[in-house]
Amino acid sequence: MTEKEFIFDPHNKVERSYGYCMFFVSIISFILTNIVVTKIGPPKNVKGDPWRWNNLFISWIHAAICGTWDILCLYFYPEMLDDLVHHINYFTYLMIAFSTGYFVYDFLDLMYNGKLIANWEVTLHHIAISFMGWYHLQMKMCIAYNLIAFLAEVNSIFLHSRKLLRGLGHDTIYHTVLLLNIFTFVVFRFIPNTRVLYGLFTDYHLGPKLYFQCLCAASVVLTTVNIGLFLRLASTDYKYYKSLTSKKKSLEKQAVNGNNNKVE
């Protein structure tokens, strides 16, 4: 069976033109958002490269929109889980177009600011996601697979919040975000990625073999990267939490000693 014999949208439920319109609107919207965020500038107590703050904040905006949209897709259309290859409608299709546009925007932002090589792992990730998103938009296939994979953006909300709060020095809220980050990492990264891997093997006969082979390889690599990222985050957060606890105890001890000296 050749690739031409695979029909992924037999009833022509969606028009590609709407997907591409959303794709370009997404890119333009994030460019405009970047202009506004750059003009406002980072908070005064944030140190370091202002670009890093702007990029992180815009990534958080995308994660919040995409994560919420993705959950709504699953809530309104749970039947997509019965056919991850052929499911398609405008609500889910446009979400993929929106997120693909963001990743293209972020790649262009990295390139414009000369950050491609310094952030090579992010660059490779964005190239892979952008190409896969474009392919799905063009072929109108595996939209539900993309939706499950993009559930990682729910975790990205807390992953980016963690970095933003750390820069602002909000230690109390930071502790809560740390726990939510670990919880959502497992629920919205490991579990969805496992479902994608399982589906790729069971749905292997429903699409072009080369495509599914590439997708399987990418999912295995992504799973490995997620495991490494999770271990690194857990280690970094534990050390930071330990330092905050030690600092708090030290301040409490100083306060007690100070009160004792006043009594004397």
Side-chain angles (χ1 to χ4, degrees), residues 200-220:
L200 289 176
F201 285 106
T202 58
D203 295 339
Y204 190 77
H205 62 289
L206 297 177
K209 289 185 178 180
L210 179 60
Y211 165 79
F212 274 93
Q213 288 170 352
C214 292
L215 206 56
C216 282
S219 295
V220 170

Side-chain angles (χ1 to χ4, degrees), residues 23-46:
F23 172 75
F24 288 112
V25 167
S26 176
I27 294 175
I28 294 171
S29 296
F30 282 110
I31 290 174
L32 294 176
T33 302
N34 184 24
I35 293 173
V36 173
V37 172
T38 301
K39 187 173 182 179
I40 295 173
K44 294 180 180 179
N45 57 330
V46 173

Side-chain angles (χ1 to χ4, degrees), residues 187-257:
V187 174
F188 293 102
R189 283 187 187 268
F190 284 137
I191 294 177
N193 202 59
T194 301
R195 177 64 182 88
V196 169
L197 280 172
Y198 172 77
L200 289 176
F201 285 106
T202 58
D203 295 339
Y204 190 77
H205 62 289
L206 297 177
K209 289 185 178 180
L210 179 60
Y211 165 79
F212 274 93
Q213 288 170 352
C214 292
L215 206 56
C216 282
S219 295
V220 170
V221 171
L222 185 59
T223 301
T224 305
V225 169
N226 279 335
I227 292 173
L229 177 60
F230 180 79
L231 294 174
R232 187 175 68 181
L233 283 173
S235 175
T236 301
D237 289 346
Y238 174 75
K239 291 177 181 177
Y240 187 71
Y241 178 78
K242 194 173 180 180
S243 68
L244 287 178
T245 304
S246 299
K247 183 179 179 181
K248 184 178 179 181
K249 288 181 179 179
S250 177
L251 291 173
E252 289 176 350
K253 187 176 180 180
Q254 290 177 10
V256 171
N257 292 334

Side-chain angles (χ1 to χ4, degrees), residues 45 52 54 72 83 104 110:
N45 57 330
R52 179 67 61 184
N54 295 344
L72 289 175
D83 189 352
V104 171
L110 289 168

